[in-house]
Amino acid sequence: VQLQASGGGLVQAGGSLRVSCAASGDTFSSYYMAWFRQAPGKEREFVAAISRGGGGTYYLDSVKGRFTISRDNAKNTVYLQMNSLKPEDTAVYVCAAKRFTTVQAMRTMSFDEYDSWGQGTLVTVSS
């Protein structure tokens, strides 16, 4: 499956932004989806994951209660709604797909273990 993220931009601290990831080339609903991010000078980290049907989700502790991952299988798209943004949320956000896994396992999987990933979208949060 091919993935393309979009929706990044510049936002003030405390603001909101929604990034999207459009999939093509395979049956989107067959894939568990995740968002990762990589801040300047830091390692890539897991942010959130969602099950195939959308009923199961998992979050990085630091974004719980602020970020919401969702998906629309009819539109082949996964979203990450980000509220109460902080400067430390500044990063390139990348979506990734994995066909056979569980939401819990995705929390500790390395980025390279995913089946597909797309180009990222830059989110910059100003203080």
Side-chain angles (χ1 to χ4, degrees), residues 32 46 49 56-58 101-109:
Y32 290 76
F46 168 90
T57 57
Y58 204 96
T101 185
T102 64
V103 171
Q104 291 74 18
M106 293 167 79
R107 172 65 180 87
T108 57
M109 284 171 52

Side-chain angles (χ1 to χ4, degrees), residues 7-65:
L10 175 63
V11 62
Q12 289 187 332
S16 298
L17 198 65
R18 188 179 78 164
V19 292
S20 304
C21 175
S24 62
D26 202 348
T27 306
F28 176 67
S29 59
S30 298
Y31 290 87
Y32 290 76
M33 299 298 297
W35 285 98
F36 284 77
R37 66 185 181 186
Q38 187 166 18
K42 295 187 178 180
E43 293 187 355
R44 187 183 294 114
E45 66 177 352
F46 168 90
V47 176
I50 190 166
S51 61
R52 294 167 175 167
T57 57
Y58 204 96
Y59 296 93
L60 177 69
D61 285 346
S62 62
V63 307
K64 283 181 182 177

